Amino acid sequence: QKEVEQDPGPLSVPEGAIVSLNCTYSNSAFQYFMWYRQYSRKGPELLMYTYSSGNKEDGRFTAQVDKSSKYISLFIRDSQPSDSATYLCAMNDNYGQNFVFGPGTRLSVLP
Amino acid sequence: EAQVTQNPRYLITVTGKKLTVTCSQNMNHEYMSWYRQDPGLGLRQIYYSMNVEVTDKGDVPEGYKVSRKEKRNFPLILESPSPNQTSLYFCASSLAATGAGETQYFGPGTRLLVL
C-alpha cells in the first residue's frame, strides 16, 4: 500500500462546477497537509496548507482534513478553465523535514 | 525576482557518465530539497537539507548524492547514472529549517534522459 493515495483522474468538469479532489494516507504521524497545483511544464506551487484536522477556506478553495479517517480533500467552487492543472496533495510530520506527495489528479475545466 | 533556478533544463546522457544538476535560490532559504517526478508515482523526495552542511536522505536516495556548501546552492549529483534515473527532477526551497507548514518554492524542473 502506498503511503499516500490519490485518484489519478483525469477529471473533466464544465466551467462553474464544484470539484472535489481527495487523498488518503496511512501514516498517522502526518500533521501538516498541503495541496499543490502544477501547470503543464511547470514546478508545483503551494495552494493551501492546513495543520491537523479541520477546514480552511481561501477564496474558491476549501481544504478539509479528517485525521480520524486519514482523509483530506480540496474543494474548488465555481471552477474556471484556469484551474486546469494537476493537483498534488502532500503531507509531513511534526519534524517537517520529509515530505510525502500523492501521485496527483489531473483536472480539466471545460469552458 | 525571488526564484529557484535549475540547470540544465534538459539533459540527455549515457549510462555511467557522471552528471550534476545545479540548483540555486535567491531567497535566503534554510531548507532545500530535491524531488523526482514519475508518471503514476508523483513527486518523491530524494534528499533534503535543513542548512549548510546538513543533509539527509528522503524516500529514494539510492544513486544520488548532494552537497550544501553554501546556503543558496544545492547540487544533485548522479555519480553513475542508469536508465531508471530517467525522470523529471525538481529542486525546492522554503524559509524555515524544518519545512513544516512552510511554502515550498519549486524550480522549473530538469528533464533527464539516461540512455
Side-chain angles (χ1 to χ4, degrees):
Chain A
Q1 181 190 9
K2 292 181 181 176
E3 202 165 13
V4 179
E5 305 265 8
Q6 186 175 2
D7 183 358
L11 181 62
S12 290
V13 301
E15 183 175 355
I18 296 174
V19 177
S20 171
L21 304 168
N22 310 294
C23 286
T24 59
Y25 63 96
S26 57
N27 188 345
S28 58
F30 289 144
Q31 295 285 348
Y32 292 90
F33 304 91
M34 291 143 279
W35 286 96
Y36 283 80
R37 179 175 61 195
Q38 185 178 18
Y39 290 115
S40 182
R41 300 184 185 279
K42 299 285 188 183
E45 54 180 344
L46 183 67
L47 203 54
M48 295 187 72
Y49 87 87
T50 53
Y51 174 71
S52 196
S53 284
N55 294 356
K56 187 173 183 178
E57 189 173 321
D58 183 2
R60 297 184 295 110
F61 299 90
T62 299
Q64 285 186 353
V65 175
D66 181 350
K67 289 189 66 182
S68 63
S69 302
K70 296 190 178 69
Y71 188 87
I72 70 171
S73 300
L74 177 71
F75 298 96
I76 306 174
R77 291 184 299 280
D78 187 24
S79 55
Q80 303 295 309
S82 59
D83 295 327
S84 298
T86 296
Y87 290 80
L88 305 159
C89 63
M91 44 203 79
N92 59 14
D93 57 25
N94 266 333
Y95 297 100
Q97 296 155 7
N98 184 217
F99 286 80
V100 180
F101 281 77
T105 298
R106 181 174 292 181
L107 171 67
S108 295
V109 181
L110 307 175
Chain B
E1 181 189 354
Q3 59 182 351
V4 178
T5 56
Q6 295 178 227
N7 283 293
R9 294 289 312 278
Y10 304 91
L11 179 60
I12 300 174
T13 190
V14 295
T15 299
K17 186 176 182 181
K18 180 179 178 179
L19 66 92
T20 299
V21 184
T22 64
C23 173
S24 183
Q25 49 91 6
N26 62 0
M27 297 169 279
N28 202 36
H29 283 174
E30 301 279 347
Y31 181 92
M32 297 186 74
S33 183
W34 274 104
Y35 297 87
R36 59 178 290 174
Q37 187 172 35
D38 302 289
L41 297 176
L43 280 163
R44 292 179 293 167
Q45 196 167 30
I46 302 171
Y47 270 94
Y48 59 89
S49 168
M50 291 177 288
N51 211 328
V52 175
E53 303 292 4
V54 180
T55 63
D56 209 345
K57 297 177 181 178
D59 294 322
V60 289
E62 295 78 20
Y64 303 95
K65 284 177 58 177
V66 293
S67 68
R68 186 95 182 271
K69 298 190 187 319
E70 304 168 279
K71 197 172 186 179
R72 62 182 294 131
N73 296 323
F74 191 44
L76 179 70
I77 303 156
L78 284 72
E79 294 269 3
S80 183
S82 62
N84 64 13
Q85 293 178 296
T86 292
S87 187
L88 178 57
Y89 291 87
F90 287 102
C91 180
S93 71
S94 64
L95 182 61
T98 64
E102 290 283 334
T103 299
Q104 279 198 87
Y105 294 87
F106 281 80
T110 295
R111 192 168 291 278
L112 172 65
L113 173 62
V114 183
L115 300 173

